[in-house]
Amino acid sequence: MKDNRDIFTLDSDTIASNPGRVKVMPLVLMRYMYKPVFLLIALLASLAFALDISLIFGGIAFFIFLVVNIFYWRRKKEQFAHGDSNGGIIISEKPKLLAVTTDLTKGFAGSFPVVKIIAYKGKGKLNERIGTVALYQGSESCVPHWNDFFPVPVEYVNNNKAELNAVLSSYSTESWEVLESRIEQITKPYKEGLFKISSENSSW
């Protein structure tokens, strides 16, 4: 979110309270996310079409997919470098679910605590702590909170243990206690979704 000089694909008017600062490793990311694989296949297919069938139409398609690929990887780089990093806890193994909390406030009015529960595809076990990086979904400028946020486990893009541990060390003991207390307020069995926390003097 903000060192504006190296941000191109994200909103540079906002700043993360705890930027991820995570380096994206393409081969790791492609193990967990299918979109970059499809984009790469499309790029190579358009190149083959240009060389074997039609230089004009294939060349246009190749250029389009090249731009899309460049934009995708630039966005992922910026997302994990500048996105908001929060700790998550694995709360279920069957199915595997991860809970992450944040405050959706835009900073100028009120507090809007939430817990987001997402499907988890990593190797972590029940109750294990996981680092995540999230982007926030916008809302009208007059609304004091974001509509949603989308945390992604950092292990989906980086498998360097030292870097993963550095992310975990960026979270305070208090932040883990807050997450655990908010999880207790969610009714079991757990399911994916965004859950508003109405206690803690929230503005919901």
Side-chain angles (χ1 to χ4, degrees), residues 106 136-140 145-148 150:
K106 291 182 178 177
Y136 290 66
Q137 185 181 73
S139 60
E140 296 180 8
H145 62 81
W146 301 101
N147 290 334
D148 203 348
F150 302 92

Side-chain angles (χ1 to χ4, degrees), residues 11 24 30 33 37 43 57 62 66 104 108 120 153 155 172:
D11 177 9
V24 174
M30 287 190 285
M33 301 178 190
V37 178
L43 179 66
F57 293 108
F62 176 77
L66 179 61
L104 293 181
F108 57 82
Y120 173 68
E155 65 189 283
S172 67

Side-chain angles (χ1 to χ4, degrees), residues 54-130:
S54 172
L55 183 60
I56 295 177
F57 293 108
I60 293 174
F62 176 77
F63 177 76
I64 292 173
F65 283 116
L66 179 61
V67 171
V68 172
N69 271 271
I70 292 173
F71 182 87
Y72 177 86
W73 287 107
R74 177 64 181 265
R75 183 172 178 81
K76 288 303 176 186
K77 176 183 177 181
E78 294 179 1
Q79 174 182 345
F80 286 92
H82 302 284
D84 191 33
S85 185
N86 295 284
I89 295 177
I90 301 172
I91 57 173
S92 171
E93 285 193 316
K94 293 183 180 181
K96 274 195 167 185
L97 297 173
L98 180 71
V100 186
T101 190
T102 193
D103 190 333
L104 293 181
T105 183
K106 291 182 178 177
F108 57 82
S111 176
F112 301 90
V114 294
V115 171
K116 185 73 172 280
I117 297 179
I118 61 172
Y120 173 68
K121 299 181 288 185
K123 298 178 180 179
K125 303 299 182 182
L126 184 65
N127 297 322
E128 188 171 337
R129 294 176 174 182
I130 303 293

Side-chain angles (χ1 to χ4, degrees), residues 4-61:
N4 296 350
R5 292 170 298 178
D6 63 350
I7 292 179
F8 175 70
T9 69
L10 302 180
D11 177 9
S12 60
D13 293 329
T14 56
I15 182 170
S17 57
N18 182 32
R21 300 187 179 91
V22 177
K23 179 182 178 181
V24 174
M25 299 178 177
L27 293 180
V28 175
L29 184 149
M30 287 190 285
R31 290 212 311 262
Y32 290 98
M33 301 178 190
Y34 300 123
K35 185 174 181 179
V37 178
F38 292 145
L39 290 177
L40 178 59
I41 292 173
L43 179 66
L44 296 176
S46 64
L47 177 60
F49 185 85
L51 296 176
D52 295 338
I53 301 176
S54 172
L55 183 60
I56 295 177
F57 293 108
I60 293 174

